[in-house]
Amino acid sequence: MYLRSTPRRNKDGSVVRYLQLAHNAWDPATKRSKVQVIYNFGRDDASNRQALLRLAASVVKILDPAQLLDVTADGLEFVDSRPFGAVWALDGLWRQLELDGTFRRMRRDGALDPAAERVLFALVAGRALAGSADPPAEVARWVNEDVFVDGLPATTENDCQKVTEWLCEVSGRLQEEVFHRVADRLGLEADLLFFESAHGALPPDLGLDGDEDPQGAGTTGFQALAPPGCHEAHQSVIGLAVTRSGIPLRVWRWPGCADDAAMIRQAREDMKGWTLSRVVRTADRGCPVAAGRCALHKDDDHHYIVGAKLRSGSAEADAALSRQGRYHRAAANLRVKEVHIAADERFVICCDTRTAQRDAEVRTRLVEELSALIDDTDRLSLADRTDLHLEIAAHPRMRRYLRLTPGGLLRIDVKAVKTEENLDGKYLVRTTDPELPAEEIALGYMRLLETERGWRDLLAGLRRLQTQGEPGGRGHLLLTWLSLLLVRVAESRTGLPWSRLRRELDRIKLGTFAARTSVLRQRTEITEEQYGLLAALGLAPPPRIVQSTSPDG
């Protein structure tokens, strides 16, 4: 018994199909099989298909799971499963921002294959999802074996290399096109850009108070270019122009000996005609403050925003903490207070409530560990306590909570604990800009740090960049910038870090089922949390059946 579809041609030439439930019966007279129609469903339209669904559901009810699997898998083989949700989301943002159309308009006739736009997207997505150190080779393998990119069933290393080289040829024009397109689509306030650059020799501080990099990277995002000990002349300086909301709109690369003032002049020249009224130079707390301010303020027209450590013990930090005043809310998790210390600079104390909670949890754990170490040590000999004291003093974060009494006893430094509590989540930002509101200064600096962390993560596989000649290194840099653009848009819309977004979205898998003459690709069920993330990104969920091919195509 089976379902068959029979066509009937009308007088006007149109074809109508009819659905029938039939079976083949043997005719002894003719000695051949004949089709017998058991039930006629009528025309193949939506209403009759609903009747078929009801019939199928009633049949399924009386089958056990094993029998049902035998029926549905007849001639069909489950051959593959790949992460799908994150690449689907990046592709949706890529199209939302009309980057696909921008690329197609810029493509020279005949210079690249029409499918090259899909290759470019795969290169960009591969940086965000696979972290390939060698995009042409790694992304080709990633597309062919590990992921499903809509419109790009397969690619080659040569295709990826061609697109990367093309990027270098159109670098300036491409970045200007992307700027105008993205600023228009996102409604960005693009009259002001924060400009950040960093040498590979800068100290490894991300702008978070404390002695250790909390993510264990050891270098800032813009520093992840040169190996330790590399001479400055062989290092690179990366410059990034970031909007008020933390969206990166342009990237530069200079030799390690580049001058800050010269970089600012080139940045302004390159962005001439971008409807910008101001470019503010920024630097994180890894930048030596005195030297950094001097370099940043060579030209009176170049204002800067610099982060300063509140634990530095500097006169400015101590003076800022001693000033009274009320905090004002700048964002859901950020409070700010401007304090007046000097005539030529403005100082803003920022308090990030999420970081404050994290600092408190870390300190509580450290104090508990320290208490466990020094409990009952009063019974030890002076030599043993001295050895333990030296051992704890070697711990960069625990030692700040340890106090040694005049009699040589080990105690928790309660005063130091209270001092640290007062610094939870706080950092100091100083600027020469007389016009920016304190809230905007703090938000601009905070979003710069978020962008910088994302940049560091995406550049993790490019530590050989400064040794590569053009156009390869610059092409990889442009791919990283485009990838960071998509990542920061996703983070700003959802309020979540990309690592968490990617992990949750990649739980949406794509299964591939193959028969002798057809292929079916179907996604897994989408959870309520995944629906919420896609909605926050402004994206519709992927269809249940992503791809289906039949014998007639």
Side-chain angles (χ1 to χ4, degrees), residues 2 22-28 30-36:
Y2 57 91
H23 79 118
N24 294 332
W26 181 259
D27 186 347
T30 61
K31 295 184 179 181
R32 60 186 300 179
S33 179
K34 293 179 60 176
V35 176
Q36 291 185 354

Side-chain angles (χ1 to χ4, degrees), residues 125-145:
R127 184 56 50 82
L129 298 174
S132 303
D134 185 9
E138 294 298 322
V139 172
R141 185 179 300 110
W142 180 68
V143 169
N144 298 337
E145 301 176 4

